[in-house]
Amino acid sequence: MKIVNKIIALAMLMGSLAAYAQPNAPDIVVSLDGKGQFTSIQEAVMSVRDYKPTRVTIYVKNGVYNEKILIPANKCDITIIGQSAEKTIITYGDYASKDNMGTFRTSTVRIDGDGIRMENLTIENSAGRVGQAVALHVEGDRCEFSGCRFLGNQDTMFNGRAGARQYFVHCYIEGTTDFIFGPATAMYEDCDILCKSDSYITAASTPQNVPYGLIFKNCRVKAADGVSKLYLGRPWREYAYTAFINCELPKQIRPEGWHNWGRAENEQTSRYCEYGNKGEGANLDERVSWSKKLTENEAQTITYENVMSVDSKWIPAYANRFEKFIIKDPSKIKKI
């Protein structure tokens, strides 16, 4: 009987996974082989009625989509689901010094619409180590990502609009310098983060009047081969807010943890905090005096329910998902 129960439980789990990976009757299918309504993700997005009052689901079949995608502000409440994160790849190679375009026009995917959801996708900036080159740029509010991979180097992830709420769960992010940055309120939960060079993981620019910035909970930070010196973050703007809570931190994290970006005045205003981290890089004894060790009560208040409902109540649909990306061997991660 126990064996039968286990088989039933396994069948139920596999059925749940299949339903998660392949949505029932998506509104739009994108496929490079021409067997969907569109062969381009951008065309599929633009086909959605402006400010449509009900959510639209776009299902993207496996393939390498060489596209630079913009989801404009008038395209809201769209869900884009890839067939599989490793094989549904959106890639482009713009970078800041290319035709003097600057950092904020380099993104492979830019999201200006509210309520955008993405799952089971890879978004890549393939420019290489040529300076600022954004993979994902999010300006929209109530945007969320589950089971996605974000590949790049400097400035991989731009959490772009002050006060906009963004939620990432069970995602994989890699980069070199300041590769998670911006003014938005963005929570990364149960994510894997790979640091590919000696540098800074985050560069928040949280405004003074915004209570939360970049938050990492139950994440796993790892260093690629040859990396020996990492900082958790440095303040792109004076009131930068960044928190690491219950994360795994590698030995390559500098004992001081945080950097002031060469401006002593940032030490008076930056909001950097930690709680419950583990690993060789989690020791707080030599942290800079201007960072904060949260109390248990303070840490317990930093939940997606509270963080994402500061101005208006919003609970991400992807909260508490069970799929995970776990880096077992950083040396085998694809290098770009």
Side-chain angles (χ1 to χ4, degrees):
M1 181 61 69
K2 289 183 178 180
I3 294 176
V4 172
N5 289 339
K6 287 182 179 179
I7 293 173
I8 292 172
L10 179 60
M12 291 175 65
L13 175 61
M14 295 305 293
S16 297
L17 285 169
Y20 168 69
Q22 297 181 345
N24 293 325
D27 300 287
I28 299 169
V29 175
V30 179
S31 180
L32 290 173
D33 61 11
K35 295 182 180 179
Q37 288 98 319
F38 298 95
T39 58
S40 160
I41 299 170
Q42 183 69 68
E43 290 178 352
V45 168
M46 297 310 294
S47 75
V48 176
R49 176 184 167 191
D50 292 353
Y51 303 111
K52 193 175 190 299
T54 56
R55 179 166 293 277
V56 172
T57 299
I58 299 173
Y59 182 62
V60 184
K61 291 188 177 181
N62 286 342
V64 178
Y65 294 82
N66 291 286
E67 298 189 56
K68 188 176 177 74
I69 294 172
L70 168 65
I71 301 179
N74 56 334
K75 306 295 184 183
C76 304
D77 297 315
I78 297 173
T79 298
I80 301 177
I81 302 177
Q83 185 174 354
S84 68
E86 294 81 4
K87 296 181 180 179
T88 308
I89 301 168
I90 307 169
T91 183
Y92 211 78
D94 277 345
Y95 53 96
S97 60
K98 179 182 177 182
D99 300 325
N100 295 314
M101 68 171 52
T103 302
F104 305 112
R105 290 194 292 151
T106 64
S107 57
T108 298
V109 173
R110 174 169 172 145
I111 298 172
D112 289 350
D114 293 339
I116 303 303
R117 300 174 187 166
M118 288 187 170
E119 55 185 275
N120 286 5
L121 292 166
T122 290
I123 298 175
E124 172 189 55
N125 189 306
S126 60
R129 301 195 182 193
V130 291
Q132 298 96 327
V134 177
L136 178 69
H137 177 155
V138 186
E139 295 282 332
D141 186 34
R142 295 180 290 103
C143 293
E144 50 188 308
F145 306 83
S146 174
C148 292
R149 302 192 308 158
F150 304 99
L151 312 182
N153 290 286
Q154 184 173 350
D155 294 358
T156 304
M157 306 284 288
F158 181 43
N159 302 116
R161 178 161 62 88
R165 295 162 295 177
Q166 301 159 13
Y167 182 73
F168 300 80
V169 63
H170 307 317
C171 291
Y172 167 78
I173 306 105
E174 66 174 37
T176 56
T177 299
D178 302 333
F179 63 95
I180 303 173
F181 72 114
T185 296
M187 176 173 279
Y188 293 82
E189 196 156 21
D190 228 337
C191 293
D192 288 278
I193 299 167
L194 180 67
C195 308
K196 302 199 297 184
S197 70
D198 291 352
S199 201
Y200 312 87
I201 300 172
T202 69
S205 55
T206 323
Q208 181 178 3
N209 65 323
V210 175
Y212 299 106
L214 304 179
I215 299 170
F216 302 86
K217 289 193 71 176
N218 304 309
C219 293
R220 295 160 292 278
V221 179
K222 293 196 176 183
D225 291 347
V227 174
S228 62
K229 184 172 72 172
L230 296 168
Y231 290 91
L232 296 172
R234 58 177 179 171
W236 185 22
R237 294 294 182 265
E238 293 84 349
Y239 290 90
Y241 179 105
T242 305
F244 281 82
I245 300 172
N246 297 331
C247 294
E248 296 178 17
L249 303 181
K251 64 182 180 181
Q252 289 86 352
I253 299 294
R254 293 284 300 168
E256 59 268 36
W258 308 91
H259 193 278
N260 66 10
W261 207 316
R263 297 191 289 267
E265 58 269 27
N266 286 338
E267 299 176 10
Q268 306 302 315
T269 52
S270 298
R271 296 170 287 172
Y272 285 151
C273 45
E274 298 176 65
Y275 176 82
N277 296 319
K278 56 187 177 181
E280 294 180 79
N283 193 323
L284 299 178
D285 292 345
E286 297 182 51
R287 286 293 194 260
V288 293
S289 61
W290 42 278
S291 66
K292 180 179 182 179
K293 179 181 179 180
L294 297 170
T295 67
E296 182 177 0
N297 287 338
E298 288 171 331
Q300 287 178 347
T301 67
I302 303 176
T303 63
Y304 61 79
E305 295 95 337
N306 292 335
V307 171
M308 299 298 163
S309 299
V310 170
D311 295 322
S312 62
K313 188 173 179 62
W314 175 55
I315 301 298
Y318 292 160
N320 291 324
R321 283 246 167 135
F322 52 81
E323 298 83 359
K324 297 182 181 181
F325 282 114
I326 298 177
I327 307 170
K328 296 180 180 179
D329 185 357
S331 66
K332 293 183 180 179
I333 296 295
K334 176 188 174 186
K335 292 181 172 60
I336 63 174

